[in-house]
Amino acid sequence: MNDAVTRETLMARLQDALGAAAVLSGESDTAGYTQDWRGRYRGDALCVVLPSTTEQVSTVVKLCAAAGVPILPQGGNTSLCGGAVPPSGGPTPVLLNLARMRRIRQVDAANGSMIVEAGCILKTVQETAAGVGRLYPVSLGAEGSCQIGGTLSTNAGGTSVLRYGNTRENVLGLEVVLADGTVWDGLRALRKDNTGIDLKHLFIGAEGTLGVITAAALKLHALPTHHALAWFAPRDPAAALRILGMFQRACASRLSAFEIMNRHQLELVLAHVPNRRNPLGGTHAWHVLVELGDTRDAHALEAVLTETLGEAVEQGLVDDAVIAANETQRADLWEVRHSVSEANKKAAVGLTTDCAVPVSSVPEFIEAATRAVHAIVPGLDIAIVGHMGDGNVHFIPMFSFEAWAALADSAATGDAMRACVNDVAARLAGTFSAEHGVGQTGLPLMQRYKSTAELALMRTLKAALDPNQLFNPGRLVP
Amino acid sequence: MNDAVTRETLMARLQDALGAAAVLSGESDTAGYTQDWRGRYRGDALCVVLPSTTEQVSTVVKLCAAAGVPILPQGGNTSLCGGAVPPSGGPTPVLLNLARMRRIRQVDAANGSMIVEAGCILKTVQETAAGVGRLYPVSLGAEGSCQIGGTLSTNAGGTSVLRYGNTRENVLGLEVVLADGTVWDGLRALRKDNTGIDLKHLFIGAEGTLGVITAAALKLHALPTHHALAWFAPRDPAAALRILGMFQRACASRLSAFEIMNRHQLELVLAHVPNRRNPLGGTHAWHVLVELGDTRDAHALEAVLTETLGEAVEQGLVDDAVIAANETQRADLWEVRHSVSEANKKAAVGLTTDCAVPVSSVPEFIEAATRAVHAIVPGLDIAIVGHMGDGNVHFIPMFSFEAWAALADSAATGDAMRACVNDVAARLAGTFSAEHGVGQTGLPLMQRYKSTAELALMRTLKAALDPNQLFNPGRLVP
């Protein structure tokens, strides 16, 4: 902070500009913003500001820049890696939450686009699109509370990446407030535009370190109206990979999900979440949920599902399978998949990882990571669940609460376990963060896994666009 | 050029590093590189270098940087806007052509990816992908000679954007030589990777101004094996837009092309290209080619085509229609569409434009641009042909050769006509370059249509990544 501007002066200026009700301070008013939803991270903020317009965001940026106080932009505060709350050390930021910028500025069904402000809740955007017969495809666990701006800043993944890509692939344009308070209006809703560097991609996935996203032009798709779903037990991950290829060849973009889960993960769901049924009789080492979607003809969709699965059975790749006979069964099978987080939280201490590797390397990744973990703790339980179609596997070493408490240095053990999994991904040309982002958890991993050239490029961009380290200093690039 | 290093010294160093056969000089050896394929642009190069490896590219960059001589990276030299050849003024560059870097480093069908060097011909990449039962979807007129590096640097569009997006959407990773000669290895072939700023998007579409792309990891898709195609006469562009929406709702991603053409454009094809037949009886003001593709079931595909078109007829939106009965008819109808450039070149002087607007604004764009052109030259012929599904319309005022020759200042008239079309696009939140890029033609338009904030951001990036103006100085950002 500049000596000339005290905390009180800055707050007074912010209150003048935004109104007193848009500037929160004091523990009770700000606690929901300064601590993450799982209670793992908290830090201090000078205050929480809630601007309602792009102009107000610009004003906040200028006032903070003049005062030399950093800004932490925040969406719905649903980060899984501490990305949305202040650090516990370092200069205390103003926390800029976009919740009040929630206007839907335009819906253009014929163009397949929507212009929305950063504070819109993801679910609201999905519902608004569906209301005009279109799909905004990004879908994830936190969709009821996460904000569009947060999904953009973290390039959110989720369950529809296989069919529709990450958030990045579903953005046509952005409006961003830059470090000097300038508003860059890049809200073009065009499918094609080759006029210079495509600036929006700088800000998508930059976790708020290069500017504040205030609005976005989103891409809408045809709304699928029919679905077909199967749950089956592949012989092993290599068989699952071959079956994935069969579905891709037969179904092209009808294939909308291909999720894998190991036996231990399924058993945790069945043991710890009420009313979850084993989809198949007996015990199987591996499970896959495969879903198709289309805009027409449920019979044809079920036919291709049955036919492809039948081929896989004939080739000896599948031990057992069931096809959802109706919407209720389909919902029930998805519930098993969606109960994973709840089950794992209740069952044990899970060391969640978020690796992606080339899809073709998923079987090798699972095998090598298992070996690596068991070399440290022989026989340790491992829950495996992932978006196999994207190469994204959450490989989760599980300690019983008792075993974890008995560890001499549990933090070090946790770090070592995660490191050996991430090392396997790196060796297979993969990544330590497929969808969760860097946040606070991943910062040391950037140093470990990124090349010197890549880190240097990122530092160059940060220095160029935010020379005074106004936005989220110390984040993203170590 | 630095005083200390003469042209001869630099060439000697380049020959030492690459071998004499990889450094061309003299008019006869370099003419094919320094002049564009249509003969509209030419400039001088100190020499043409043809490196075979990434390391050699790095060496060339370091030698040129040390000598203070700029570099013009070049692919297949198929630019439509002078983007691939040296300027006629300014410092004389070393022309760095990537043609000898044409290894296919990896094909991973199971991952749906290929790693190729920048000099690979687009058609070779398509064929290699098809050889493993996969599709690399980028497809355009120059595909037999353009290089992958060029398609990346210009974010090439083409005829499959409606279904598969631009080149940008089909890239997973890049290898780039930076301004100091550093090689950034970003050749990850992952569907998901949220570890920092996504650097590849900086270089895609930057037209060689930020670095030299030497290799890319490309995204492959399921290979469509069945197609269905119709040619119909919509009542007007507004009717075509409604029919596009009907196809999108009914067919989702089966819809692979929706191309519009006006009567004058069709008449030019029929008059000037041998063996082209009028697809429909009689005369119609507007024509649309619509194509569906799928990985299975030709009957279902034709059924949805017939059904959707039938609905459009019932609603009075279509005057006449024909469905291709077999592959020969399908090829013939595509030939009509693909004969546009040849026809226009023979017929008259066409002032080609390359605007895109929101798809919903295409009818208004056509109407307003027609009014604007006719306000300058009443009754002037206009050929209109475009990728309506992408909002990309080539709106082409046509002067007879005689009328053009009779103009007092034809260059000024040409500029004025194009400007009034581009102004209409800008008013409708569109762009003056949907797919051709900026090159030399578009540079003044960047100044005219881009905001101060956007140009400033691009200049900041250029200064940060290429501080000494080594790559393509003066290009892309005025």
Side-chain angles (χ1 to χ4, degrees):
Chain A
M1 195 181 299
N2 294 343
D3 292 344
V5 185
T6 64
R7 173 174 185 271
E8 282 66 34
T9 313
L10 175 59
M11 281 192 49
R13 289 178 184 170
L14 290 168
Q15 286 169 344
D16 277 354
L18 273 65
V23 183
L24 312 180
S25 61
E27 178 59 23
S28 62
D29 286 349
T30 61
Y33 300 92
T34 54
Q35 174 164 308
D36 81 306
W37 62 286
R38 298 191 296 188
R40 295 189 188 180
Y41 297 92
R42 86 163 299 292
D44 292 324
L46 268 189
C47 58
V48 174
V49 296
L50 296 159
S52 301
T53 64
T54 304
E55 292 64 35
Q56 288 190 348
V57 173
S58 170
T59 302
V60 170
V61 167
K62 285 177 188 162
L63 290 174
C64 290
V69 172
I71 292 172
L72 182 112
Q74 186 186 62
N77 192 11
T78 64
S79 173
L80 291 166
C81 51
V85 295
S88 53
T92 308
V94 163
L95 200 156
L96 191 166
N97 187 291
L98 281 296
R100 292 194 185 169
M101 287 197 62
R102 53 174 176 241
R103 280 195 312 137
I104 290 178
R105 295 191 192 165
Q106 189 196 68
V107 181
D108 184 345
N111 187 48
S113 65
M114 249 174 109
I115 298 182
V116 306
E117 292 185 344
C120 288
I121 300 297
L122 173 53
K123 201 168 184 56
T124 308
V125 171
Q126 295 167 345
E127 290 171 352
T128 306
V132 297
R134 289 281 192 161
L135 174 76
Y136 180 65
V138 176
S139 174
L140 43 91
E143 63 195 25
S145 54
C146 71
Q147 297 173 13
I148 286 294
T151 66
L152 292 161
S153 288
T154 58
N155 184 30
T159 54
S160 63
V161 175
L162 177 60
R163 169 64 184 88
Y164 297 100
N166 298 283
T167 295
R168 182 185 300 283
E169 280 85 50
N170 293 287
V171 181
L172 297 169
L174 289 184
E175 178 186 86
V176 180
V177 177
L178 307 174
D180 64 355
T182 301
V183 178
W184 169 54
D185 177 358
L187 280 177
R188 291 180 286 273
L190 301 173
R191 255 47 184 191
K192 292 166 94 168
D193 182 16
N194 275 345
T195 51
I197 301 160
D198 196 338
L199 299 167
K200 65 176 175 284
H201 290 293
L202 270 173
F203 302 100
I204 299 170
E207 302 191 16
T209 60
L210 300 181
V212 182
I213 297 175
T214 49
L218 304 176
K219 199 190 284 181
L220 306 182
H221 301 260
L223 188 67
T225 46
H226 299 81
H227 295 91
L229 181 145
W231 186 288
F232 67 91
R235 210 177 47 205
D236 54 28
L241 179 65
R242 284 183 55 191
I243 298 168
L244 171 63
M246 293 163 67
F247 272 103
Q248 285 173 325
R249 278 188 298 276
C251 306
S253 56
R254 288 178 192 85
L255 180 63
S256 57
F258 198 94
E259 303 275 315
I260 194 165
M261 186 185 290
N262 73 346
R263 170 179 163 178
H264 186 65
Q265 180 63 77
L266 178 63
E267 287 172 350
L268 292 179
V269 169
L270 300 178
H272 295 279
V273 183
N275 305 319
R276 296 290 169 266
R277 286 186 45 236
N278 187 348
L280 304 172
T283 303
H284 303 280
W286 294 96
H287 296 260
V288 167
L289 178 160
V290 60
E291 187 176 54
L292 311 182
D294 203 348
T295 48
R296 54 186 285 111
D297 205 343
H299 288 299
L301 210 52
E302 217 174 285
V304 66
L305 179 66
T306 312
E307 187 184 301
T308 311
L309 214 47
E311 276 171 46
V313 170
E314 249 172 58
Q315 292 183 27
L317 301 173
V318 171
D319 289 334
D320 196 7
V322 62
I323 291 178
N326 51 47
E327 282 299 301
T328 311
Q329 286 185 15
R330 188 168 78 91
D332 285 350
L333 291 169
W334 267 118
E335 278 303 325
V336 175
R337 169 64 183 87
H338 286 144
S339 300
V340 160
S341 300
E342 184 185 342
N344 293 2
K345 200 172 165 184
K346 287 182 182 169
V349 175
L351 303 173
T352 303
T353 59
D354 177 34
C355 297
V357 294
V359 179
S360 49
S361 299
V362 166
E364 187 178 349
F365 169 73
I366 291 174
E367 202 184 308
T370 303
R371 267 202 313 274
V373 163
H374 285 166
I376 305 180
V377 183
L380 186 70
D381 284 335
I382 301 169
I384 299 175
V385 57
H387 318 291
M388 181 156 181
D390 312 322
N392 179 194
V393 178
H394 301 297
F395 184 98
I396 315 170
M398 306 287 289
F399 284 83
S400 71
F401 294 113
E402 302 73 38
W404 186 253
L407 286 173
D409 184 347
S410 60
T413 303
D415 286 348
M417 304 295 276
R418 285 198 187 91
C420 79
V421 175
N422 290 331
D423 282 352
V424 170
R427 188 169 59 70
L428 295 170
T431 178
F432 64 86
S433 178
E435 58 181 5
H436 293 173
V438 174
Q440 299 190 49
T441 322
L443 210 48
L445 306 182
M446 290 290 282
Q447 192 74 60
R448 181 180 175 96
Y449 294 110
K450 290 286 176 182
S451 69
T452 311
E454 190 151 333
L455 289 175
L457 263 176
M458 291 188 199
R459 287 191 194 108
T460 298
L461 293 171
K462 174 70 173 174
L465 294 177
D466 184 19
N468 298 318
Q469 297 279 327
L470 183 68
F471 296 126
N472 254 349
R475 288 284 169 87
L476 200 64
V477 187
Chain B
M1 196 181 297
N2 294 343
D3 292 343
V5 185
T6 63
R7 173 174 185 271
E8 284 64 35
T9 314
L10 175 59
M11 282 192 47
R13 288 177 186 171
L14 289 167
Q15 286 168 343
D16 277 356
L18 272 61
V23 182
L24 311 181
S25 59
E27 178 59 23
S28 61
D29 286 349
T30 61
Y33 300 92
T34 54
Q35 174 162 308
D36 81 308
W37 62 287
R38 298 190 297 187
R40 296 189 188 179
Y41 298 92
R42 86 162 299 290
D44 292 324
L46 267 191
C47 60
V48 174
V49 295
L50 296 159
S52 301
T53 65
T54 304
E55 293 64 36
Q56 287 190 350
V57 173
S58 170
T59 302
V60 171
V61 167
K62 285 176 187 162
L63 290 174
C64 290
V69 172
I71 292 171
L72 181 111
Q74 187 186 61
N77 193 11
T78 64
S79 173
L80 291 166
C81 51
V85 296
S88 53
T92 308
V94 164
L95 198 156
L96 191 165
N97 187 291
L98 281 295
R100 292 194 185 169
M101 288 197 61
R102 51 174 178 242
R103 281 194 313 138
I104 290 178
R105 295 191 191 166
Q106 188 196 69
V107 181
D108 184 345
N111 188 48
S113 65
M114 249 174 108
I115 297 181
V116 306
E117 291 184 346
C120 288
I121 300 297
L122 172 53
K123 200 166 183 58
T124 308
V125 171
Q126 295 167 346
E127 289 170 353
T128 306
V132 297
R134 289 283 192 161
L135 173 77
Y136 180 65
V138 177
S139 175
L140 43 92
E143 63 196 27
S145 54
C146 71
Q147 297 173 13
I148 286 294
T151 64
L152 291 161
S153 288
T154 59
N155 184 30
T159 53
S160 63
V161 174
L162 177 61
R163 169 64 184 88
Y164 297 100
N166 298 283
T167 295
R168 183 184 300 282
E169 279 85 48
N170 293 287
V171 181
L172 297 169
L174 289 185
E175 178 187 86
V176 180
V177 177
L178 307 174
D180 64 354
T182 301
V183 179
W184 168 55
D185 177 358
L187 280 177
R188 290 181 286 273
L190 302 173
R191 253 55 184 183
K192 292 166 92 168
D193 183 14
N194 274 345
T195 51
I197 301 161
D198 197 337
L199 298 167
K200 65 175 176 284
H201 289 292
L202 269 174
F203 302 100
I204 299 170
E207 302 191 16
T209 59
L210 300 181
V212 182
I213 297 174
T214 48
L218 304 177
K219 198 191 284 181
L220 307 182
H221 301 258
L223 189 66
T225 46
H226 300 80
H227 296 92
L229 181 146
W231 187 288
F232 67 91
R235 210 177 46 206
D236 54 28
L241 178 65
R242 284 183 55 191
I243 299 168
L244 171 63
M246 293 163 67
F247 271 104
Q248 286 173 323
R249 278 189 298 276
C251 306
S253 56
R254 289 177 191 85
L255 179 63
S256 57
F258 198 92
E259 303 276 314
I260 194 166
M261 186 184 293
N262 73 346
R263 171 180 162 178
H264 185 67
Q265 180 62 75
L266 178 62
E267 286 172 351
L268 292 180
V269 169
L270 300 179
H272 295 279
V273 183
N275 305 318
R276 297 288 171 267
R277 287 186 43 236
N278 187 348
L280 303 171
T283 302
H284 303 281
W286 293 97
H287 296 261
V288 167
L289 179 160
V290 59
E291 188 176 53
L292 311 181
D294 203 348
T295 48
R296 55 187 285 110
D297 205 343
H299 288 298
L301 211 52
E302 216 174 286
V304 65
L305 179 66
T306 311
E307 187 184 302
T308 311
L309 214 47
E311 276 171 47
V313 170
E314 249 173 58
Q315 292 184 27
L317 301 172
V318 172
D319 289 333
D320 196 7
V322 61
I323 292 180
N326 52 46
E327 282 300 300
T328 312
Q329 286 185 14
R330 187 167 78 92
D332 285 349
L333 291 169
W334 266 118
E335 278 304 324
V336 175
R337 169 64 183 88
H338 287 145
S339 300
V340 160
S341 300
E342 184 186 342
N344 293 2
K345 202 174 164 181
K346 288 182 183 169
V349 176
L351 303 174
T352 304
T353 59
D354 177 33
C355 297
V357 294
V359 179
S360 48
S361 299
V362 166
E364 186 179 349
F365 169 72
I366 291 174
E367 202 184 308
T370 302
R371 266 202 314 273
V373 162
H374 284 168
I376 305 181
V377 184
L380 187 71
D381 284 336
I382 301 168
I384 300 175
V385 57
H387 317 292
M388 181 156 181
D390 312 323
N392 180 194
V393 177
H394 301 297
F395 184 98
I396 316 172
M398 304 287 290
F399 284 83
S400 71
F401 293 115
E402 302 74 38
W404 187 253
L407 286 173
D409 183 347
S410 60
T413 304
D415 286 348
M417 304 295 276
R418 285 199 186 90
C420 80
V421 175
N422 290 331
D423 283 352
V424 171
R427 188 169 58 72
L428 295 170
T431 177
F432 64 88
S433 178
E435 58 180 6
H436 294 173
V438 174
Q440 299 189 48
T441 321
L443 211 48
L445 306 182
M446 290 290 282
Q447 191 76 58
R448 182 180 175 96
Y449 295 110
K450 290 286 176 183
S451 68
T452 310
E454 190 151 335
L455 289 174
L457 262 176
M458 291 188 197
R459 287 191 194 108
T460 299
L461 293 171
K462 174 70 173 174
L465 293 176
D466 184 18
N468 298 318
Q469 297 280 327
L470 183 68
F471 297 126
N472 255 348
R475 289 286 169 86
L476 200 62
V477 187

